[in-house]
């Protein structure tokens, strides 16, 4: 008998979300309005009451944050190369220069020492990524930012609900950007959130997401159409009520893997960090037959999906090899290249059954 395929991730959507969509559709206020405002207010409770602005994607959250904070063409923004392209795209799209630095081995996140070494007189910001749901080293990063008078934009796309030393991720910097894509820890079908402690930055993001206007036909700045619809917000509001339980289940699934996986490197969690396991990412070295790619293929044959996030670091993507796109690599990206060759993400979503967890472990341990 062929066992059902276990995908690397799957959206969790139930009757509550469907009912919320129908409720909003019946009101006729589907484009924007009270539902979006309610979602923003409720999300704010996750991030210490900071200003929250809902937009149509995590990428838009990054882009509008960069614009609202005044990053200009030629400015340099330091970030890891081991991330999704959207991190760097948000900087390059405004004509600024992504500066790629190396990561720490254990956390997969940007190395603070590499950040400090990359600072020049053109540096205006640091963009740490809380990759896979594990917090970046925000203590040292914020010290560097204060020392050099730099902005900090947290790419929190994968880290909703994570904390560091009891403080919510997305509350450290000048802005933070969260993704609500269907396979994230919670979703709004598609969407994003900008979090900021600064009321004026929040206002600028609201202007930018809505063609530059708060009041109809009184456009104050050149803006875009990056609004979140009321339908999407309704889904997000329902998902918010389930986040705590889903996070707990992801963490329990991760503990099961930690205790039972053999022959691979399980993801460590640094002291003081609460990992929310958007991905459960193992390291597979060449000591395993066929390396990372070989293990992924054997798991696929057993009906187990995996993800490779990210096999090509951003600095080596074709889009960042173009002569019309400015970027800079600072230092040797040794750990970045190792992670790109070794990282493999296993299914960890909260809907996994015990049988599925056991199948995943058996598949990995068979090696």
């Amino acid at each position: 008998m062929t066992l059902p395929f276990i995908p690397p991730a799957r959206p969790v959507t139930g009757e509550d979300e469907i009912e919320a969509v129908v409720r909003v559709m019946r009101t006729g206020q589907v484009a924007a309005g009270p539902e979006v405002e309610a979602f923003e207010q409720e999300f704010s409770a996750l991030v210490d009451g900071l200003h929250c602005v809902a937009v149509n994607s995590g990428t838009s959250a990054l882009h509008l944050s960069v614009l609202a904070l005044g990053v200009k063409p030629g400015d340099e923004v330091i970030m890891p190369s081991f991330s999704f392209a959207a991190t760097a795209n948000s900087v390059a799209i405004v004509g600024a220069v992504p500066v790629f630095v190396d990561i720490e081995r254990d956390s997969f996140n940007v190395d603070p020492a590499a950040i400090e070494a990359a600072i020049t007189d053109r540096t205006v910001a640091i963009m740490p990524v809380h990759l896979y749901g594990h917090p970046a080293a925000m203590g040292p990063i914020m010290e560097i930012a204060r020392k050099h008078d730099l902005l900090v934009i947290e790419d929190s796309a994968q880290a909703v609900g994570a904390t560091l030393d009891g403080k919510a991720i997305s509350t450290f910097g000048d802005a933070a950007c969260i993704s609500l894509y269907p396979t994230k820890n919670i979703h709004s079908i598609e969407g994003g959130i900008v979090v900021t402690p600064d009321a004026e930055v929040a206002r600028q993001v609201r202007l930018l997401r809505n063609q530059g206007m708060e009041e109809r036909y009184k456009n104050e700045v050149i803006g875009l159409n990056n609004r979140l619809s009321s339908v999407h917000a309704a889904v997000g509001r329902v998902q918010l009520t389930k986040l705590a339980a889903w996070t707990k289940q992801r963490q329990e699934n991760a503990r099961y893997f930690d205790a039972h996986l053999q022959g691979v490197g399980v993801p460590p969690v640094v002291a003081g960090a609460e990992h929310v396991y958007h991905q459960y990412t193992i390291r597979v070295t060449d000591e395993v037959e066929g390396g990372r790619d070989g293990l992924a293929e054997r798991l696929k044959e057993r009906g187990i999906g995996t993800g490779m996030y990210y096999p090509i670091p951003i600095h080596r993507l074709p889009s960042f090899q173009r002569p019309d796109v400015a970027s800079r690599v600072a230092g040797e990206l040794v750990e970045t290249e190792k992670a790109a060759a070794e990282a493999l993400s296993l299914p960890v979503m909260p809907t996994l059954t015990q049988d599925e967890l056991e199948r995943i472990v058996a598949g990995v341990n068979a090696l």
Side-chain angles (χ1 to χ4, degrees):
M1 182 182 70
T2 303
L3 293 169
F5 182 73
I6 305 172
R10 56 188 169 217
V12 186
T13 306
E15 289 301 316
D16 292 346
E17 287 87 347
I18 294 169
E19 290 172 6
V21 168
V22 172
R23 172 180 59 80
V24 170
M25 293 291 287
R26 284 176 173 158
T27 69
Q29 292 183 309
V30 298
E35 197 74 21
V36 175
E37 293 174 7
F39 182 40
E40 291 170 340
Q41 291 170 4
E42 290 161 7
F43 200 97
S44 178
L46 282 179
V47 288
D48 297 345
L50 299 188
H51 303 281
C52 291
V53 184
V55 294
N56 61 352
S57 72
T59 300
S60 291
L62 286 163
H63 183 199
L64 299 190
S65 294
V66 168
L67 289 171
L69 288 166
V71 177
K72 304 182 297 299
D75 288 344
E76 291 187 346
V77 179
I78 299 172
M79 65 184 64
S81 184
F82 193 61
S83 181
F84 185 51
T87 306
N89 288 350
S90 66
V91 171
I93 201 74
V94 304
V97 180
V99 176
F100 300 114
V101 299
D102 210 2
I103 58 171
E104 301 173 316
R105 178 171 178 80
D106 284 350
S107 71
F108 292 106
N109 287 324
V110 66
D111 184 346
I115 292 173
E116 185 136 37
I119 294 170
T120 70
D121 57 4
R122 295 172 61 192
T123 306
V124 300
I126 306 167
M127 189 177 281
V129 181
H130 305 293
L131 200 66
Y132 305 142
H134 188 294
M138 294 309 297
I141 289 170
M142 294 307 299
E143 288 180 13
I144 293 168
R146 286 189 288 267
K147 176 181 175 182
H148 296 277
D149 193 24
L150 302 176
L151 298 166
V152 174
I153 305 169
E154 297 175 68
D155 184 338
S156 305
Q158 302 179 1
V160 61
T163 64
L164 182 63
D165 296 327
K167 183 175 172 65
I169 288 304
S170 301
T171 65
F172 288 83
D174 298 278
C177 308
I178 291 165
S179 172
L180 299 170
Y181 184 74
T183 55
K184 293 298 193 292
N185 292 30
I186 59 169
H187 72 84
S188 61
I189 305 174
E190 181 72 279
I193 298 281
V194 175
V195 179
T196 179
D198 190 318
E200 182 53 32
V201 171
R203 180 175 182 274
Q204 287 300 312
V205 174
R206 289 193 174 93
L207 287 171
L208 290 164
R209 75 175 176 182
N210 189 38
Q211 304 290 8
M213 59 185 179
E214 283 191 306
E215 188 175 345
R216 193 169 178 82
Y217 302 130
K218 294 187 178 179
N219 305 68
E220 300 177 41
V221 299
I222 303 298
L224 300 158
N225 178 3
N226 291 155
R227 298 185 299 269
L228 186 74
S229 79
S230 292
V231 172
H232 292 84
V235 173
R237 292 183 71 191
V238 173
Q239 295 256 312
L240 270 177
T241 67
K242 303 176 182 181
L243 176 62
W246 286 343
T247 299
K248 181 179 178 182
Q249 188 60 57
R250 284 177 180 271
Q251 292 166 336
E252 289 180 1
N253 292 347
R255 283 193 288 272
Y256 183 84
F257 289 149
D258 288 347
H260 293 90
L261 290 175
Q262 300 171 5
V264 296
V266 300
V269 180
V270 303
E274 182 177 7
H275 197 327
V276 294
Y277 295 99
H278 169 60
Q279 302 290 345
Y280 184 91
T281 302
I282 60 175
R283 282 184 178 270
V284 187
T285 68
D286 289 340
E287 294 177 3
V288 174
E289 182 183 353
R292 185 266 313 275
D293 294 0
L295 177 57
E297 186 59 33
R298 292 194 294 277
L299 289 173
K300 183 179 178 181
E301 292 169 358
R302 288 171 168 258
I304 300 166
T306 59
M308 295 181 189
Y309 312 108
Y310 299 89
I312 305 176
I314 302 173
H315 75 280
R316 291 201 282 107
L317 291 173
S319 53
F320 283 91
Q321 304 304 309
R322 293 167 53 102
D324 59 332
V325 178
S327 66
R328 181 166 68 87
V329 175
E332 298 293 324
L333 306 191
V334 175
E335 292 299 337
T336 296
E337 296 293 353
K338 286 181 182 177
E342 297 175 354
L344 185 69
S345 295
L346 303 177
V348 74
M349 53 274 194
T351 53
L352 286 173
T353 65
Q354 184 61 34
D355 177 68
E356 289 174 325
L357 289 167
E358 292 172 5
R359 280 180 59 197
I360 295 165
V361 167
V364 172
N365 289 355
L367 295 179

